[in-house]
Amino acid sequence: MFKVDREKCIACTQCIQDCPVRVISLKDGKADINNEGCIKCAHCIAVCPVDAVSSDDYNMDEVKPYNKETFTVEAENLLNFIKFRRSVRRFKNKPV
Ligand code: SF4
Ligand code: SF4
């Protein structure tokens, strides 16, 4: 379940604008999530500038804030990584 800490929420509406299924709205001046239609994409957690959104569907200790130093991938390294990938093509004769 995704929830908003009303103490932290500054009603910037970024989560509302980013939610792909439009289940967040302002209620009494704070963001409010209708979990019934939520697809658990966690965009709301990612975009909130004040860490007001959390979920017990994820281990929140694993949610890392963007850090240029540790998130940057050199274009050449990324290209090599993509080229190096191989799919498995030894198919088994049974239904997927
Ligand atoms: S997890 Fe995704 S679908 Fe659910 S409220 Fe957040 S942005 Fe919307
Ligand atoms: S992004 Fe965060 S601060 Fe902004 S409205 Fe949503 S919960 Fe509130």
Side-chain angles (χ1 to χ4, degrees):
M1 180 171 279
F2 283 70
K3 61 179 188 292
V4 174
D5 184 331
R6 294 180 62 84
E7 296 289 314
K8 289 184 179 175
C9 178
I10 56 172
C12 70
T13 74
Q14 288 193 52
C15 58
I16 295 170
Q17 295 173 58
D18 205 42
C19 176
V21 288
R22 303 277 183 246
V23 293
I24 313 176
S25 57
L26 282 183
K27 191 181 271 183
D28 300 325
K30 304 286 180 174
D32 184 77
I33 298 172
N34 175 3
N35 275 271
E36 275 195 23
C38 171
I39 59 170
K40 303 178 192 256
C41 68
H43 279 213
C44 47
I45 292 176
V47 298
C48 181
V50 293
D51 293 336
V53 189
S54 63
S55 172
D56 56 12
D57 290 297
Y58 296 101
N59 178 356
M60 292 302 293
D61 291 338
E62 291 182 358
V63 177
K64 297 184 187 301
Y66 175 74
N67 176 333
K68 191 175 179 193
E69 296 301 313
T70 55
F71 279 58
T72 300
V73 179
E74 294 301 326
E76 191 69 17
N77 287 353
L78 179 61
L79 186 60
N80 287 338
F81 177 77
I82 293 168
K83 284 178 178 173
F84 191 71
R85 287 199 55 164
R86 292 287 179 269
S87 58
V88 175
R89 291 163 194 231
R90 282 183 228 119
F91 300 115
K92 291 181 179 161
N93 188 20
K94 65 178 189 180
V96 178

